[in-house]
Amino acid sequence: MVDPTTAFSEVPSSWNRRHLLGLEDLTSEELTTLLDVAERFRQFMREGHRRLPLLSGKTCVNLFFENSTRTRTSFGVAARRLGADMIDFSAATSSLSKGETVIDTAKNLEAMGIEAVIVRHQTPGTPHLLAQNLNCCVINAGDGPHEHPTQGLLDILTIRQRFGRIEGLTVALVGDISHSRTARSNIWGLKKLGAHVIVCGPSTLVSPRWAELAVEYSYDLDSILPRVDVLNLLRIQFERQLTRPFPSVREYAHLYGMNRERLSRTKPSILVLAPGPINRGVEVATDVADGPHSAILDQVTNGVAVRMAVLWLLIAGGLNRSKAS
């Protein structure tokens, strides 16, 4: 059995980034490096290595200004499995309520000796702003409807595990494309790795302008089902909408909900994903969500591995650069 500390003794030469702000600006080589490292972490966890002391003595902060269950917890688990300490920041009880800016809050946390800030904020571009003002690593855990890079990575990793590749696959993102940061990160990553991407949903939530980026769009889920390899079912984000984009939830479920009847018209090898939280009976029926084609819980497992890979690459890579200089 390979010693984990030996397997992760050096950060790959293909990785030289200090921050992870999105998948839009990553190269296909960098995306592949992230996926390969995440797969190695996943394998070691499957072999029973619950703790890999690769970041012992390092400290990370979850700086979340929006609610989160999976992402916040996943980053916390990932940091602790690498031996790092994790601080969970609460915006509601912080000095932000007294008028302090996000930058000043982050700088004060950095002054306590942290190596990475994992930030989620409702305003697009907030992680980029912090990256310009901090010396530590900044990781985007979701900035409004803009990007959610680690969710995109774990979705892509789950697809690659099932099919052994991304290139040549047809992946449909179904639902609230307009407000989905997950959709955007998936699109950037999947396209760079050679997949054909279809965005599908009501015309109020799917813009034809995606065609400008060589992304196919459709308003008819039933028409695209027979040629799709992967269905990624996105939650309707009512909290980001000023008006209801369709007459009723029942109508949406009738036109775009994935159920057993629709599943019967897909390829036998169809893979069903959902980034969560899932709304059973709306985006996906219970028998599909819990069925053999679903990899929803695999996505959660892969989320820990992906976030371990991101933390290790950014923090250990930074330490290596400091030693070299």
Side-chain angles (χ1 to χ4, degrees), residues 53-230:
L54 302 174
L55 296 179
S56 296
K58 309 306 174 188
T59 303
C60 307
V61 175
N62 267 333
L63 190 62
F64 277 51
F65 299 89
E66 285 187 319
N67 293 334
S68 171
T69 300
R70 291 161 186 77
T71 304
R72 179 196 285 267
T73 305
S74 184
F75 267 114
V77 171
R80 293 182 184 99
R81 286 190 177 173
L82 290 169
D85 295 318
M86 175 60 83
I87 300 171
D88 280 314
F89 170 88
S90 174
T93 58
S94 73
S95 294
L96 287 164
S97 61
K98 303 175 184 178
E100 185 171 73
T101 67
V102 173
I103 292 175
D104 282 334
T105 295
K107 282 187 172 181
N108 275 275
L109 292 169
E110 182 180 45
M112 297 178 191
I114 63 172
E115 278 71 35
V117 169
I118 300 118
V119 60
R120 169 171 289 189
H121 201 281
Q122 63 270 27
T123 303
T126 300
H128 299 72
L129 181 66
L130 292 182
Q132 294 166 9
N133 288 274
L134 300 178
N135 293 317
C136 65
C137 304
V138 176
I139 300 167
N140 182 0
D143 58 333
H146 178 227
E147 274 220 52
H148 192 350
T150 56
Q151 180 66 53
L153 287 166
L154 71 89
D155 290 347
I156 295 169
L157 179 62
T158 306
I159 296 170
R160 195 177 77 163
Q161 287 168 349
R162 178 65 63 92
F163 293 98
R165 72 187 199 284
I166 300 299
E167 187 173 8
L169 296 177
T170 296
V171 180
L173 304 168
V174 182
D176 190 352
I177 307 302
S178 179
H179 301 92
S180 177
R181 54 195 173 208
T182 294
R184 284 163 175 75
S185 289
N186 265 272
I187 288 167
W188 294 123
L190 289 166
K191 289 292 296 178
K192 289 178 182 181
L193 294 175
H196 176 67
V197 179
I198 306 173
V199 292
C200 180
S203 60
T204 49
L205 296 174
V206 176
S207 170
R209 295 199 63 182
W210 282 112
E212 298 173 12
L213 298 176
V215 171
E216 182 182 348
Y217 70 95
S218 174
Y219 306 130
D220 185 353
L221 176 60
D222 294 311
S223 69
I224 67 171
L225 285 178
R227 57 192 178 93
V228 168
D229 298 296
V230 182

Side-chain angles (χ1 to χ4, degrees), residues 233 258-260 263 272 284-294 296:
L233 308 173
M258 197 60 199
N259 52 40
R260 184 185 302 177
L263 193 66
V272 177
V284 58
T286 291
D287 54 358
V288 176
D290 299 334
H293 296 282
S294 170
I296 293 173

Side-chain angles (χ1 to χ4, degrees), residues 8 11 15 17-23 26 30-31 33-35 37-39 41 55 60 75 78-79 82 115-118 137-141 149-151 153-154 302-318 321:
F8 296 100
V11 171
W15 186 264
R17 289 185 179 267
R18 206 172 98 216
H19 310 296
L20 179 66
L21 305 179
L23 301 191
L26 295 187
E30 288 171 325
L31 286 165
T33 296
L34 275 163
L35 296 172
V37 172
E39 187 60 56
F41 276 121
L55 296 179
C60 307
F75 267 114
L82 290 169
E115 278 71 35
V117 169
I118 300 118
C137 304
V138 176
I139 300 167
N140 182 0
T150 56
Q151 180 66 53
L153 287 166
L154 71 89
N302 285 334
V304 175
V306 160
R307 285 154 185 143
M308 290 175 72
V310 169
L311 290 171
W312 179 70
L313 284 169
L314 294 179
I315 296 175
R321 286 191 293 273

